[in-house]
Amino acid sequence: MLTSAEYADIVNRALTHIDIPDYLPGLYDPIRYTLASGGKRLRPVLLLAAGEAFGGELSDCLWPAVGVEIFHNFTLVHDDVMDNADMRRGKPTVKAKWDVNTAILSGDAMVSMAFKAAAGCPPMFLPEVIDRFSMMTMTVYHGQQIDADFETADAVTFGQYLQMIMGKTSALIAYPCALGALIAGASPQDVEAMFNFGNNLGIAFQMQDDHLDVYGDPATFGKNIGGDILNNKKTWLRIMAHDRCPAELAKAEAIADPAEKIAAVTAIFDSLGLRDEGERIIGRYTADAISCLDDATLTPAAKAWFIDFANTLLHREK
């Protein structure tokens, strides 16, 4: 198997060969900008690695992997609109660089491009690949709607939070793992095991993202720290703080000055020991993901690859 960086290079090269028209720059320039803005290509890397782990050809998995990456970037473009975010990966978001309408329309076009790329799989797998790709996209939409509903909810449970991130985040990790195994001709049991691996890893990934939004370094995180706090996002940190000291949290969230609000809410998180508690929970979901690999017929080297990937993801800084 290749390294993550080598898989990512393959994806990046393929992204440069996507046929993006030269006309209508108002529609297509934001797409070029988004796809060229970086990222570690984690999701297509997982699809390619899963395909190779089960004996598949990288060429068979490449365009579905590219489709996953295009769709993932679409979700970021629209997520930044919904979150009113101005920075992504250390650069202005499409919404900030252009405007909201551009972000919406260019994002819509990216969905069509993603499905076209996914259809580049071997014909014998096309119906199931498109079916699972569609399920992935709808699951993401479900999670995004749940997240939007949270904005007007007085309280959210940790269980509801998990339901949201299993849609919004985990689907884009679980389905690529399953798709790679599927295109390689793996058994249904192996496909399911890889899906479960990705689902648990996705939970750990999102919880880590919430953690980094408060405790990360903006120079490496690529986004302004404290954005979730300013937007009163129902992250696991806020949910736990609300459960344990709702009055104090409400007082801190009512502070008008952004910097003071971030500092006050973070101080509450610190006083409750949520930083350490969250790291333990993230570690547990990562361990659960790794245990799912025991149900897959992977070679020792392939299993080690996914274990290393999961542990590296756990200790990421951005």
Side-chain angles (χ1 to χ4, degrees):
M1 295 183 66
L2 304 180
T3 66
S4 293
E6 288 170 331
Y7 287 127
D9 284 343
I10 292 171
V11 174
N12 283 328
R13 288 197 297 271
L15 286 169
T16 66
H17 288 91
I18 295 174
D19 184 19
I20 302 178
D22 292 329
Y23 58 88
L24 292 177
L27 177 66
Y28 292 114
D29 281 356
I31 298 174
R32 292 188 184 89
Y33 173 81
T34 300
L35 296 179
S37 64
K40 293 186 177 180
R41 314 304 189 195
L42 300 175
R43 295 151 191 86
V45 163
L46 281 169
L47 196 155
L48 293 178
E52 193 169 27
F54 290 97
E57 296 291 336
L58 286 179
S59 59
D60 291 342
C61 297
L62 178 57
W63 287 108
V66 170
V68 165
E69 183 64 12
I70 296 172
F71 182 79
H72 165 61
N73 277 271
F74 144 74
T75 69
L76 302 182
V77 171
H78 276 200
D79 201 42
D80 289 336
V81 171
M82 297 180 74
D83 289 345
N84 195 31
D86 292 330
M87 295 294 293
R88 168 76 65 177
R89 296 169 176 163
K91 299 179 181 180
T93 61
V94 171
K95 175 195 76 70
K97 186 174 176 64
W98 282 272
D99 53 42
V100 169
N101 288 343
T102 297
I104 292 172
L105 189 57
S106 293
D108 291 345
M110 291 174 75
V111 176
S112 298
M113 292 170 62
F115 272 92
K116 181 179 179 180
C121 66
M124 66 181 296
F125 297 115
L126 180 59
E128 191 165 3
V129 165
I130 293 300
D131 183 57
R132 286 179 181 263
F133 203 90
S134 298
M135 287 191 290
M136 177 187 74
T137 63
M138 288 305 301
T139 303
V140 171
Y141 301 150
H142 292 169
Q144 188 69 54
Q145 182 60 57
I146 295 171
D147 192 28
D149 291 342
F150 284 174
E151 294 182 10
T152 56
D154 293 332
V156 172
T157 67
F158 187 72
Q160 290 171 321
Y161 167 84
L162 288 179
Q163 182 186 24
M164 181 270 292
I165 63 175
M166 280 192 287
K168 186 176 176 180
T169 302
S170 289
L172 275 169
I173 296 178
Y175 278 99
C177 290
L179 283 168
L182 171 69
I183 296 168
S187 70
Q189 293 76 19
D190 285 332
V191 172
E192 182 70 14
M194 295 309 296
F195 181 92
N196 292 335
F197 165 77
N199 188 53
N200 281 287
L201 191 61
I203 294 172
F205 181 86
Q206 182 60 57
M207 290 191 66
Q208 179 80 330
D209 199 64
D210 292 351
H211 177 276
L212 290 172
D213 192 84
V214 177
Y215 295 111
D217 180 352
T220 57
F221 188 40
K223 294 188 289 186
N224 295 327
I225 298 302
D228 289 343
I229 291 175
L230 293 179
N231 289 307
N232 298 330
K233 291 281 291 184
K234 305 298 195 303
T235 66
W236 61 267
L237 289 151
R238 187 191 184 279
I239 290 167
M240 291 181 174
H242 184 270
D243 286 345
R244 299 172 192 180
C245 54
E248 292 88 341
L249 182 64
K251 182 178 179 181
E253 289 184 336
I255 296 173
D257 181 79
E260 292 181 11
K261 177 177 179 177
I262 291 171
V265 173
T266 301
I268 292 174
F269 295 164
D270 291 343
S271 70
L272 296 172
L274 295 183
R275 184 173 190 169
D276 291 339
E277 183 176 351
E279 288 176 351
R280 289 192 295 271
I281 298 173
I282 292 167
R284 189 182 76 230
Y285 276 107
T286 302
D288 288 346
I290 291 171
S291 70
C292 292
L293 298 173
D294 294 335
D295 298 325
T297 54
L298 294 165
T299 65
K303 183 176 180 180
W305 190 98
F306 288 104
I307 291 173
D308 181 68
F309 184 96
N311 286 325
T312 299
L313 200 64
L314 174 63
H315 295 102
R316 70 192 174 100
E317 294 181 354
K318 56 184 177 179

